[in-house]
Amino acid sequence: MRTLFRACMVMLALPLLCACQAAFFRTVNTGHDGIEASAHTYSAEHDLKLDVYRPPNADRPLPVALFFYGGSWRNGERGGYAFAGRALAANGVLTVIADYRKYPAGTFPIFEFDSAAAARWTVDHAAELGGDPRRIFLVGHSAGAHIAALLATDAHYLASQGLKPTDFAGAIGLAGPYDFLPLTDPALVEVFGSPDEWPASQPVRFVDGDEPPFLVVQGDRDRIVQPRNAVSLVTALEQDKVPVTFRRYPNAGHFRVLAALRFTWLAPTLADVLAFVRSTPPASP
């Protein structure tokens, strides 16, 4: 295990990142029992689905995590993140993990509108699934953290679904890119298109004080998404007096922050996420 995570933390090239992710998911999704997902279609037009992980024996409306996975906006699928859904559900958080269109089918901002549609579905169905519609959190890791943060800062994506950022109790970003210009990786240029479109992709540019509370989690040894991204977002939120909790892990890299949802000895990710969810007030009606 430790050898796998050390290898992942030093990767920089996208092909190597994809290979390491495959090994990573084989590891974190083994050894689980109990909580299974139910699949639902949230966009029939684009055949997009999401998985719902329900805590067992819930006797009251539960907080909800709408989780967006990473993969450089090019890779990934919801089933690979079963470990995250199970870990959160086992601790009393109804968890929704949504697919979205990725490159080449989905270039910026298509995946952002897909994710807004997943947010609409989650709001509409939270109560019938046992969740509290006023305690929904937008959550993501890596590229998924970027998606969640942009939903929470640039209001026009949620507005396309009749929602606004403050309809959500909070946003949680795990090792996310929030301030990553200029783009120099050709693979990312393919995703984000013309340079004159790039500024619209940066969550830090849209912080203006109408965001929900944020939890920003960052490993100081992350070599895939530089820690300055988290610092930049936290600074912007603080300047506009948005409640923000910043957790920096001195010995954690990009994958360790995520894997700690499954293997809690790696980092306090799960404890910090649960503490934030449990202590954050519901969204205003």
Side-chain angles (χ1 to χ4, degrees):
M1 277 297 303
R2 293 181 187 274
T3 300
L4 169 62
F5 290 113
R6 281 198 297 270
C8 288
M9 283 187 280
V10 300
M11 291 186 313
L12 296 176
L14 184 60
L16 289 177
L17 174 60
C18 296
C20 189
Q21 282 180 325
F24 171 86
F25 291 123
R26 284 195 299 271
T27 301
V28 294
N29 281 309
T30 58
H32 270 296
D33 295 315
I35 299 170
E36 298 298 332
S38 60
H40 305 263
T41 298
Y42 76 86
S43 173
E45 178 183 2
H46 302 296
D47 193 28
L48 292 172
K49 295 179 172 61
L50 48 78
D51 287 342
V52 177
Y53 295 83
R54 300 178 67 175
N57 305 317
D59 58 1
R60 62 188 183 278
L62 299 167
V64 181
L66 171 56
F67 187 96
F68 301 106
Y69 53 78
S72 301
W73 304 274
R74 305 171 67 100
N75 303 289
E77 56 89 23
R78 67 190 191 279
Y81 290 78
F83 72 95
R86 290 168 178 154
L88 291 168
N91 285 277
V93 180
L94 178 71
T95 304
V96 179
I97 302 180
D99 278 331
Y100 52 89
R101 282 175 288 174
K102 294 167 286 290
Y103 182 86
T107 56
F108 179 77
I110 287 173
F111 46 77
E112 209 67 41
F113 284 108
D114 288 346
S115 300
R120 177 77 264 176
W121 188 96
T122 303
V123 169
D124 290 345
H125 295 274
E128 70 190 59
L129 293 168
D132 184 345
R134 294 177 56 207
R135 298 177 66 205
I136 300 174
F137 294 80
L138 302 169
V139 188
H141 171 257
S142 193
H146 165 267
I147 288 172
L150 199 56
L151 286 181
T153 54
D154 185 350
H156 91 275
Y157 297 112
L158 289 174
S160 71
Q161 296 290 330
L163 297 167
K164 57 185 184 299
T166 52
D167 289 331
F168 297 85
I172 301 172
L174 310 177
Y178 316 110
D179 186 11
F180 54 92
L181 296 184
L183 295 177
T184 57
D185 186 336
L188 296 185
V189 171
E190 289 177 334
V191 172
F192 288 95
S194 171
D196 57 4
E197 299 291 331
W198 294 354
S201 69
Q202 305 299 290
V204 293
R205 292 178 58 90
F206 297 96
V207 175
D208 58 8
D210 64 352
E211 291 76 24
F214 264 77
L215 169 64
V216 178
V217 175
Q218 179 63 48
D220 279 349
R221 292 192 178 182
D222 197 329
R223 299 296 180 265
I224 294 170
V225 175
Q226 294 297 319
R228 65 175 178 79
N229 282 268
V231 173
S232 181
L233 178 60
V234 169
T235 299
L237 292 166
E238 290 177 338
Q239 288 175 345
D240 276 282
K241 304 188 185 310
V242 177
V244 56
T245 302
F246 189 19
R247 295 288 183 259
R248 298 184 70 158
Y249 303 157
N251 297 311
H254 194 68
F255 289 100
R256 185 178 291 264
V257 166
L258 174 64
L261 293 173
R262 169 71 171 87
F263 301 111
T264 56
W265 49 267
L266 286 169
T269 307
L270 182 61
D272 284 338
V273 168
L274 293 173
F276 180 75
V277 167
R278 292 166 179 167
S279 65
T280 300
S284 299

